[in-house]
Amino acid sequence: MAHLQLTAVAGGSDDDMEEVALLGSYGEAEGPSSRTEEEEEAGMRRAQVRVTGMTCSACTGAVEAALSARCGVRSAAVSLLQNRAHVVFDPALAKEEDIVEAIEDAGFEAEILPDSAVSQPKSQKVLSGQFRIGGMTCAACVNSVEGILKKLPGVNRAVVALATSLGEVEYDPTAISKDKIVQAIEDAGFEAALVQSSEQDKALLGLIGLHTERDVNLLYDILRKTEGLRQFDVNSVRAEVEITFDPEVVGLRSVVDIIDMESSGRLKAHVQNPYVRSSSNDAQEASKMLHLLRSSLFLSIPVFFMRMVCPHISFINSFLLMHCGPFRIGDLLKWMLVSVVQFVVGKRFYIAAYRALRHGSTNMDVLVVLGTTATYVYSVCALLYGAFTGFHPPMYFETSAMIITFVLLGKYLEVLAKGRTSDAIKKLVELVPATAILLLKYKDGKYAGEKEIDALLIQPGDVLKVLPGSKIPADGIVTWGTSHVDESMVTGESASICKEVSSSVIGGTMNLNGILHIQAAEVGSGTVLSQIISLVETAQMSKAPIQKFADYVAGIFVPIVITLSLLTFCTWFVCGTLGAYPNSWVSETSNCFVFSLMFSISVVVIACPCALGLATPTAVMVATGVGANHGVLVKGGDALERAQNVNYIIFDKTGTLTQGKATVTTTKVFSGMDVGDFLTLVASAEASSEHPLAKAILDYAFHFHFFGKLPSSKDDVKKRKEDAFSQWLLEVADFSALPGKGVQCLINGKMILVGNRALISENGVNIPEEAESFLVDMELNAKTGILVAYDGDFIGLMGVTDPLKREAAVVIEGLKKMGIYPVMVTGDNWRTALAVAKEIGIEDVRAEVMPAGKADVIRSFQKDGSVVAMVGDGINDSPALAAADVGMAIGAGTDIAIEAADYVLVRNNLEDVITAIDLSRKTFSRIRWNYFFAMAYNIVAIPVAAGALFPFTGLQMPPWLAGACMAFSSVSVVCSSLLLRRYRKPRLTTVLQITVE
């Protein structure tokens, strides 16, 4: 016991793991998947790496190849737009430093991001805590403490050692907190305190006041003395410290306060917001590119001026033609200025090209270096040749400088444009307020005052004050006050929602008119907003299948272009040598070699692989952000691509086409039994069921018995209702829920059956003709019949109706106009199903289908290759959602962790089904246009640059102009994708005007 090992024990139910696999997985070819149980059991770890220097799909392919080749790396996915790599690796075979080294060897810069830079929910696991227990004197004390601990709910194991006065407890933190464990030990008459736990968390803190070595040493001393801190890494250059701490022992807010107090205010710590930091890095990249562009412009404009303007100004021209030794002054000035542009400003191109070629890959940097170096080397040779022979051939120093300048201009504009594609995430991040008002309280629970804190320092259990007109800082429960809250920015619901005591609230939503006190329940990565951000990021990291073509083309693009460039040079040079074209085509100051070389350089410079690589990811990034703003959460580019081709869309009935608020409308007793006794019997049987219809029956029976007998106070109503349930319901034995049929159990020793016609018939109970006729009339009126048999006799039935959503009929008609065939699948009886389908306009109905059978229905439609979408509530439709090509979970609200769905429709509104499909079609229409622009540009521009039109029109594209065209081609593709930001979802008034193109 003196050497207790604290280890995290994987645990949790299947349902827990379903929530852990938050927002779906990418698949190996699509991006990083959620951390699965298999990965955890295999001891795999994940790392997120910021990769800088990538310019096109060839770069991402090179990084993925370098990572995959590294020993111990299980999978790697790289995003060009996010400049990130997600790597799953075996820590026994590879370290984070090896991952960084692999990326840097591939020619790019890499930086491991802290865990806090990713909004990933933590898996529910069992913690192992070590407690110091004082006051134990003998084995009886040990047995007493162990016995008390083992009886606590949520405690799986407890071991106490008398010799060391330590106890190790395995507990579920969601069921019991370490404070309650300490309290239980103290209630038994012993002293207790948590020493450490197996839980750990990471955070990145920024520091103000960290200027000198003395400040750094002071920080080290403070952190070493802080209990609960397991590891820390101070970066004095960036004034940051990354800490690994035990959240069960010390909170992040406590760490920040300790640094402030122990340094007497000299050091101020604050949590670094990972998204703000990411935006800061993007801004730094844009600033760096702008600095290079300004430097290049400053040096290139004089060179261009000397070439194009100075020859027409006699006194300046005379000065430039003066000799300084064997060289002309003008030539020397151009050589010096362009050398700085070529090798100082253009250094980044050489480094990137060298690293790419060293690993056998090629990218745009290789083309830029080839074109500019060829021009520069030729110009230097011409300069030297003219200096020593007196014959001055033409020089093209300005071409090299202008190519680099235009490429940098294009890159700068591209960085700005790509930054705007992630505006959706930035807007979501900005929803969370920077600060929160924390209500302080004494040990007796009385409030002692208020304190404004950083919103990133909120801890679960904190009570926060939310003023009217301010944003709610964290997910939680209202403990005091009444107000209306605008949740449109998160859920898309336009109407404000009333919040009162016990109501749940979402972080980032707006409190409108009243003061609220809320108790924080979820903070950090566990909040709804963080999960939405994580889902959007996940979708933006994934690759649509259509992008595979672009990646393939990008991999062979540069070698093909270089081959075409050599072929162009050889063709023009050989034809010129053989006299195949007149000498008048070549200027008097030039020759056949230079004439051919300019065409060749133009081919190299004008080709642009970047446009192809940006066509899909930029559009997907904008579309997923736009979808999130409309309450339509997409899990990846593959889901977007499949949704555009949907042929059939299958709807579940209850809760999808209907409002999901079943109410009992009719009760008919056929046995002479009193109605009250009948309802008590049925309610008792249904009390153990979780089906929505069971709840409707219980509510109906309760109101029948207690209507007008409850007090007006809400709290009193709740208490009296609980008491009433315990008094009037009958005792049930051998309860069994039969999916798709109903329930059965024993009451007073007799079997009672409550369910549909199939359940009653299977048990040999005869249904009277009068009851059968009554049942048919109800079903024809779209009501569901609940039949009841007791002790082998049919005793009565109930009619339950679930009103249709008001937009259902219009949406179904709109889908037909879009060329999509709607189908309804339900476990309800045929008459009710047909009545509902007729009311909303669905012609194809599959009724009396068990939950597991819905997946079989979907597969039957998929046999001929049709693309099938399934719309369900995400609760009992998981098998069907997973079987469909496109699964849409509707009405998810704040529960967005539905793994089986490809789309999560936050609102409970069928209009969003049309929005999802319409957004998919608009997105891929834009992607096809992007590919058209990118392909057409290269197909047209390369022949023009090679001189295909020169024999007929005399049109020759100079290399500097080719560089300008190349620079703006990728910018045009990004700007094309940005047009998706103008997307507006179809309104009900215009849905019926949608036609198939």
Side-chain angles (χ1 to χ4, degrees), residues 33 220 283 318 384 406 471 669 839 884 909 990:
S33 64
Y220 270 102
S318 300
L384 296 175
F406 278 121
K471 293 178 180 176
V669 181
E839 191 172 344
N909 194 316
T990 58

Side-chain angles (χ1 to χ4, degrees), residues 182-404:
V182 169
Q183 184 180 348
I185 297 172
E186 290 177 344
D187 288 345
F190 303 93
E191 298 175 359
L194 179 68
V195 178
Q196 63 176 333
S197 80
S198 60
E199 177 70 316
Q200 71 174 31
D201 206 348
K202 279 187 178 181
L204 186 66
L205 302 179
L207 292 159
I208 299 173
L210 196 68
H211 304 303
T212 65
E213 190 68 26
R214 183 183 172 191
D215 297 328
V216 175
N217 293 333
L218 174 62
L219 179 63
Y220 270 102
D221 291 339
I222 295 170
L223 295 177
R224 284 194 194 101
K225 295 176 185 176
T226 304
E227 292 186 3
L229 273 190
R230 296 194 174 157
Q231 187 178 329
F232 58 88
D233 181 20
V234 179
N235 187 330
S236 56
V237 177
R238 288 188 173 181
E240 293 176 347
V241 57
E242 183 178 343
I243 61 172
T244 303
F245 62 99
D246 184 346
E248 295 289 288
V249 177
V250 63
L252 189 55
R253 188 164 72 234
S254 300
V255 175
V256 171
D257 291 340
I258 288 170
I259 293 174
D260 185 19
M261 288 187 294
E262 293 296 323
S263 66
S264 301
R266 283 174 55 189
L267 299 177
K268 297 284 187 182
H270 60 274
V271 181
Q272 292 275 50
N273 188 319
Y275 299 104
V276 172
R277 190 178 184 223
S278 177
S279 299
S280 176
N281 288 332
D282 293 339
Q284 288 177 7
E285 177 69 15
S287 177
K288 182 179 178 181
M289 199 65 68
L290 180 60
H291 175 70
L292 290 174
L293 175 60
R294 285 173 174 169
S295 301
S296 185
L297 271 174
F298 178 75
L299 296 168
S300 300
I301 288 175
V303 176
F304 188 80
F305 186 78
M306 282 187 279
R307 172 64 186 265
M308 305 302 293
V309 180
C310 290
H312 303 288
I313 304 175
S314 57
F315 71 93
I316 296 179
N317 190 43
S318 300
F319 171 75
L320 295 176
L321 292 175
M322 291 174 63
H323 280 72
C324 178
F327 302 102
R328 293 186 296 199
I329 292 177
D331 295 341
L332 278 177
L333 285 173
K334 285 191 281 187
W335 187 13
M336 288 188 292
L337 291 171
V338 171
S339 295
V340 177
V341 174
Q342 186 75 31
F343 300 110
V344 178
V345 177
K347 177 184 175 182
R348 66 186 302 275
F349 297 114
Y350 280 94
I351 293 173
Y354 166 72
R355 289 174 174 172
L357 291 172
R358 190 176 65 178
H359 290 84
S361 62
T362 53
N363 55 22
M364 188 205 71
D365 298 305
V366 174
L367 296 179
V368 173
V369 166
L370 275 177
T372 58
T373 303
T375 308
Y376 178 82
V377 170
Y378 164 77
S379 299
V380 172
C381 292
L383 173 65
L384 296 175
Y385 180 82
F388 294 108
T389 64
F391 175 76
H392 295 279
M395 289 174 288
Y396 296 93
F397 281 119
E398 74 286 343
T399 297
S400 170
M402 294 307 291
I403 288 173
I404 290 176

Side-chain angles (χ1 to χ4, degrees), residues 740 756-758 779 825-831 833 845-851 853:
N756 57 20
R757 186 185 277 101
E779 291 173 345
V825 177
T826 178
D828 213 336
N829 64 83
W830 275 100
R831 290 191 187 91
V845 180
R846 310 296 168 94
E848 298 179 5
V849 178
M850 299 295 178

Side-chain angles (χ1 to χ4, degrees), residues 61 81 86 296 476 523 678 789 829 854:
L81 289 180
H86 291 235
S296 185
V523 297
F678 172 78
N829 64 83
K854 294 179 182 178

Side-chain angles (χ1 to χ4, degrees), residues 619-893:
V620 169
M621 180 172 265
V622 176
T624 51
V626 167
N629 290 338
H630 288 93
V632 177
L633 304 179
V634 193
K635 292 194 178 177
D638 54 337
L640 264 175
E641 183 165 351
R642 291 194 300 269
Q644 63 162 337
N645 298 317
V646 168
N647 305 112
Y648 295 93
I649 186 160
I650 297 176
F651 290 92
D652 178 42
K653 180 178 77 73
T654 305
T656 302
L657 293 171
T658 65
Q659 296 178 15
K661 299 175 182 178
T663 56
V664 177
T665 58
T666 309
T667 300
K668 186 77 171 177
V669 181
F670 292 90
S671 63
M673 182 184 293
D674 180 71
V675 174
D677 294 338
F678 172 78
L679 290 176
T680 300
L681 200 64
V682 177
S684 300
E686 292 284 9
S688 300
S689 173
E690 296 181 353
H691 197 281
L693 294 183
K695 185 178 183 302
I697 292 171
L698 269 171
D699 287 343
Y700 180 81
F702 180 83
H703 282 88
F704 179 88
H705 285 293
F706 298 99
F707 182 74
K709 301 176 184 178
L710 293 175
S712 57
S713 169
K714 186 174 180 179
D715 292 336
D716 290 342
V717 167
K718 185 176 181 181
K719 187 175 184 304
R720 287 283 300 276
K721 191 171 183 178
E722 292 173 354
D723 294 341
F725 267 119
S726 64
Q727 295 171 5
W728 70 282
L729 291 178
L730 304 174
E731 187 175 345
V732 172
D734 296 337
F735 175 85
S736 176
L738 307 173
K741 296 179 181 178
V743 300
Q744 66 180 29
C745 61
L746 293 176
I747 297 180
N748 298 327
K750 299 176 181 178
M751 176 67 71
I752 181 171
L753 306 171
V754 182
N756 57 20
R757 186 185 277 101
L759 177 65
I760 303 298
S761 300
E762 285 175 6
N763 284 273
V765 178
N766 293 321
I767 303 174
E769 290 185 9
E770 183 186 357
E772 181 68 36
S773 176
F774 189 83
L775 180 61
V776 169
D777 287 340
M778 281 199 311
E779 291 173 345
L780 290 174
N781 287 293
K783 294 179 183 178
T784 300
I786 305 296
L787 288 74
V788 184
Y790 184 56
D791 195 22
D793 296 322
F794 183 85
I795 60 171
L797 57 79
M798 304 176 74
V800 180
T801 184
D802 188 358
L804 286 167
K805 292 178 180 175
R806 60 179 183 176
E807 73 275 8
V810 179
V811 169
I812 295 300
E813 185 63 25
L815 289 169
K816 292 179 180 178
K817 292 280 186 180
M818 295 172 74
I820 300 170
Y821 189 73
V823 180
M824 187 178 79
V825 177
T826 178
D828 213 336
N829 64 83
W830 275 100
R831 290 191 187 91
T832 302
L834 290 171
V836 171
K838 182 179 180 181
E839 191 172 344
I840 59 178
I842 291 180
E843 298 165 2
D844 194 340
V845 180
R846 310 296 168 94
E848 298 179 5
V849 178
M850 299 295 178
K854 294 179 182 178
D856 296 329
V857 173
I858 289 170
R859 294 188 191 99
S860 69
F861 283 104
Q862 293 171 328
K863 285 181 180 177
D864 62 353
S866 298
V867 178
V868 180
M870 169 72 191
V871 184
D873 57 17
I875 299 168
N876 57 1
D877 297 321
S878 292
L881 289 171
D885 297 292
V886 181
M888 297 185 184
I890 191 170

Side-chain angles (χ1 to χ4, degrees), residues 35-263:
R35 188 169 190 171
T36 61
E37 286 185 84
E38 290 78 7
E39 282 178 8
E40 289 189 359
E41 289 172 4
M44 293 293 170
R45 285 184 57 194
R46 289 191 305 159
Q48 290 223 29
V49 191
R50 172 173 287 279
V51 185
T52 54
M54 297 187 297
T55 57
C56 59
S57 295
C59 298
T60 61
V63 174
E64 287 181 353
L67 289 171
S68 300
R70 183 68 59 155
C71 179
V73 174
R74 179 170 178 175
S75 65
V78 182
S79 168
L80 173 63
L81 289 180
Q82 292 180 320
N83 291 319
R84 278 189 187 178
H86 291 235
V87 187
V88 178
F89 65 99
D90 185 349
L93 300 175
K95 298 180 180 179
E96 291 180 344
E97 292 77 9
D98 297 328
I99 294 171
V100 171
E101 183 182 348
I103 296 173
E104 290 178 344
D105 286 345
F108 306 92
E109 297 176 9
E111 174 194 1
I112 296 289
L113 295 173
D115 291 352
S116 59
V118 195
S119 300
Q120 302 256 351
K122 298 176 184 176
S123 59
Q124 297 295 332
K125 56 185 176 182
V126 176
L127 295 184
S128 182
Q130 193 178 66
F131 295 82
R132 185 173 300 282
I133 304 171
M136 295 188 299
T137 57
C138 60
C141 298
V142 172
N143 293 334
S144 174
V145 174
E146 283 186 352
I148 291 167
L149 291 174
K150 289 177 180 178
K151 290 178 182 178
L152 294 175
V155 172
N156 297 343
R157 186 176 70 89
V159 180
V160 178
L162 177 62
T164 58
S165 296
L166 291 175
E168 186 175 79
V169 182
E170 284 184 2
Y171 64 98
D172 181 354
T174 62
I176 187 170
S177 68
K178 43 100 177 176
D179 294 327
K180 289 184 178 178
I181 295 175
V182 169
Q183 184 180 348
I185 297 172
E186 290 177 344
D187 288 345
F190 303 93
E191 298 175 359
L194 179 68
V195 178
Q196 63 176 333
S197 80
S198 60
E199 177 70 316
Q200 71 174 31
D201 206 348
K202 279 187 178 181
L204 186 66
L205 302 179
L207 292 159
I208 299 173
L210 196 68
H211 304 303
T212 65
E213 190 68 26
R214 183 183 172 191
D215 297 328
V216 175
N217 293 333
L218 174 62
L219 179 63
Y220 270 102
D221 291 339
I222 295 170
L223 295 177
R224 284 194 194 101
K225 295 176 185 176
T226 304
E227 292 186 3
L229 273 190
R230 296 194 174 157
Q231 187 178 329
F232 58 88
D233 181 20
V234 179
N235 187 330
S236 56
V237 177
R238 288 188 173 181
E240 293 176 347
V241 57
E242 183 178 343
I243 61 172
T244 303
F245 62 99
D246 184 346
E248 295 289 288
V249 177
V250 63
L252 189 55
R253 188 164 72 234
S254 300
V255 175
V256 171
D257 291 340
I258 288 170
I259 293 174
D260 185 19
M261 288 187 294
E262 293 296 323
S263 66

Side-chain angles (χ1 to χ4, degrees), residues 295-621:
S295 301
S296 185
L297 271 174
F298 178 75
L299 296 168
S300 300
I301 288 175
V303 176
F304 188 80
F305 186 78
M306 282 187 279
R307 172 64 186 265
M308 305 302 293
V309 180
C310 290
H312 303 288
I313 304 175
S314 57
F315 71 93
I316 296 179
N317 190 43
S318 300
F319 171 75
L320 295 176
L321 292 175
M322 291 174 63
H323 280 72
C324 178
F327 302 102
R328 293 186 296 199
I329 292 177
D331 295 341
L332 278 177
L333 285 173
K334 285 191 281 187
W335 187 13
M336 288 188 292
L337 291 171
V338 171
S339 295
V340 177
V341 174
Q342 186 75 31
F343 300 110
V344 178
V345 177
K347 177 184 175 182
R348 66 186 302 275
F349 297 114
Y350 280 94
I351 293 173
Y354 166 72
R355 289 174 174 172
L357 291 172
R358 190 176 65 178
H359 290 84
S361 62
T362 53
N363 55 22
M364 188 205 71
D365 298 305
V366 174
L367 296 179
V368 173
V369 166
L370 275 177
T372 58
T373 303
T375 308
Y376 178 82
V377 170
Y378 164 77
S379 299
V380 172
C381 292
L383 173 65
L384 296 175
Y385 180 82
F388 294 108
T389 64
F391 175 76
H392 295 279
M395 289 174 288
Y396 296 93
F397 281 119
E398 74 286 343
T399 297
S400 170
M402 294 307 291
I403 288 173
I404 290 176
T405 301
F406 278 121
V407 170
L408 288 173
L409 174 60
K411 284 292 162 193
Y412 174 65
L413 295 175
E414 186 181 316
V415 167
L416 293 181
K418 285 197 295 187
R420 295 184 67 187
T421 62
S422 59
D423 277 354
I425 287 183
K426 292 174 185 174
K427 288 179 180 177
L428 288 171
V429 172
E430 289 168 358
L431 288 178
V432 181
T435 61
I437 300 174
L438 175 67
L439 294 177
L440 306 174
K441 55 184 178 181
Y442 296 111
K443 290 184 178 180
D444 59 3
K446 293 182 180 179
Y447 290 109
E450 300 175 358
K451 179 183 177 182
E452 189 172 39
I453 62 169
D454 189 332
L456 295 173
L457 296 176
I458 297 172
Q459 297 172 173
D462 284 346
V463 178
L464 308 168
K465 182 179 180 180
V466 186
L467 299 173
S470 61
K471 293 178 180 176
I472 295 171
D475 292 4
I477 305 295
V478 176
T479 59
W480 180 88
T482 304
S483 181
H484 281 77
V485 174
D486 179 8
E487 297 182 347
S488 60
M489 60 284 293
V490 176
T491 65
E493 290 287 357
S494 57
S496 61
I497 300 171
C498 180
K499 300 291 181 181
E500 52 191 11
V501 175
S502 299
S503 297
S504 60
V505 291
I506 305 172
T509 55
M510 181 68 73
N511 180 28
L512 297 179
N513 51 22
I515 297 177
L516 292 176
H517 290 181
I518 67 164
Q519 184 173 31
E522 296 289 347
V523 297
S525 61
T527 63
V528 171
L529 197 57
S530 292
Q531 292 182 62
I532 291 176
I533 292 170
S534 178
L535 187 147
V536 175
E537 281 187 326
T538 296
Q540 292 176 350
M541 276 292 296
S542 67
K543 291 183 180 179
I546 195 174
Q547 193 176 340
K548 293 178 182 177
F549 168 73
D551 291 343
Y552 170 74
V553 172
I556 62 173
F557 187 86
V558 175
I560 290 175
V561 169
I562 294 173
T563 303
L564 289 175
S565 175
L566 292 173
L567 186 62
T568 299
F569 173 79
C570 294
T571 301
W572 281 106
F573 185 72
V574 170
C575 290
T577 304
L578 299 176
Y581 53 80
N583 292 332
S584 60
W585 286 9
V586 183
S587 64
E588 296 179 3
T589 58
S590 184
N591 55 53
C592 180
F593 175 83
V594 175
F595 182 68
S596 305
L597 182 64
M598 290 301 105
F599 281 120
S600 177
I601 292 172
S602 293
V603 169
V604 170
V605 172
I606 203 168
C608 182
C610 297
L612 279 170
L614 292 170
T616 298
T618 52
V620 169
M621 180 172 265

